[in-house]
Amino acid sequence: MQRRVRDVRRLASCAAMLGAALGLASCTSSGTAGRPDLRIGVTPDYPPIVYRDGDELTGVEIELGRMAAASLGRRPEFVELEWSELIPGLIRGEIDVIMSGMSVTPDRAARVLFTEPYLRVGQLALIRSSEVARFGPPGAIRRRSSRVGYVNGTTGEDLARGELAATASYAFDDVAAGIRSLRAGRIDFFIHDAPTIWRIAMDPEAQDLVGLFRPLTDETLAWAVAPDNDALKRELDAVLDDWRANDRLEPVLDRWIPVRVQVGD
């Protein structure tokens, strides 16, 4: 009888251990160490910052997003949204953080909490290589006769409608459309964030285009969290501080943007 009791107890103990193991697996399947996934909002149309390579999401923000999630003990879940839906989606609670090459502006800062910036950028101009003499000199972009293109909903649009309001300006839905128009001679300048112009400038298949590396604005890229999520902002700021102290941020930026021109002072 005692042996049978011991066997029953042993089976019960094994079942309890198995149940605990399954419970642990259940807890960690939606995150790491019981923490929920970090839902990262992206609009993958901005190489080399964030874009699609075939079926895969890639770029600076994807690598940094994975690193940040690991530093926080969480698993990254990338959520694709239209650019215009990133901030609304964040406020609705559909995502936890925007990591999509977003510039810090007063208007956006009134709606979200930005982390410390991770990259200093600005608006630069792209022109046709054959017309450097005509459009390359400082101030040429501000002529009334100049035709300037930009992408809707970006800080390039703010620049075109503000400081460059005297020029003829044209809106495009994406970078590719703007560059096609530039190549076709329908616009004289295409303005966009520095990483886009840097990327095109080092592309051997884009020798017909040249970037003007005189910054038209001084901007920074940062991550955004919901206005009531100060706790996550502090965590992400601490991650960035740790990366800078241990030289983990610059190697990532250098790998994705091997050619960079200092923007600002």
Side-chain angles (χ1 to χ4, degrees), residues 15 28 33 42 68 79 95 121 134 144 149 160 181-182 193 223 240 244:
T28 58
V42 298
V79 180
I95 55 177
V121 297
R134 182 180 176 192
R144 286 186 173 274
S181 188
L182 178 63
D193 293 344
W223 305 328
L240 287 166
R244 290 190 180 97

Side-chain angles (χ1 to χ4, degrees), residues 46-80:
Y46 182 10
I49 302 299
V50 54
Y51 63 104
R52 278 199 166 275
D53 185 3
D55 293 331
E56 298 294 322
L57 287 171
T58 190
V60 174
E61 293 281 32
I62 301 303
E63 183 168 351
L64 294 182
R66 291 185 177 125
M67 289 170 56
S71 295
L72 297 178
R74 301 170 71 170
R75 186 173 64 183
E77 177 190 348
F78 293 100
V79 180
E80 292 186 49

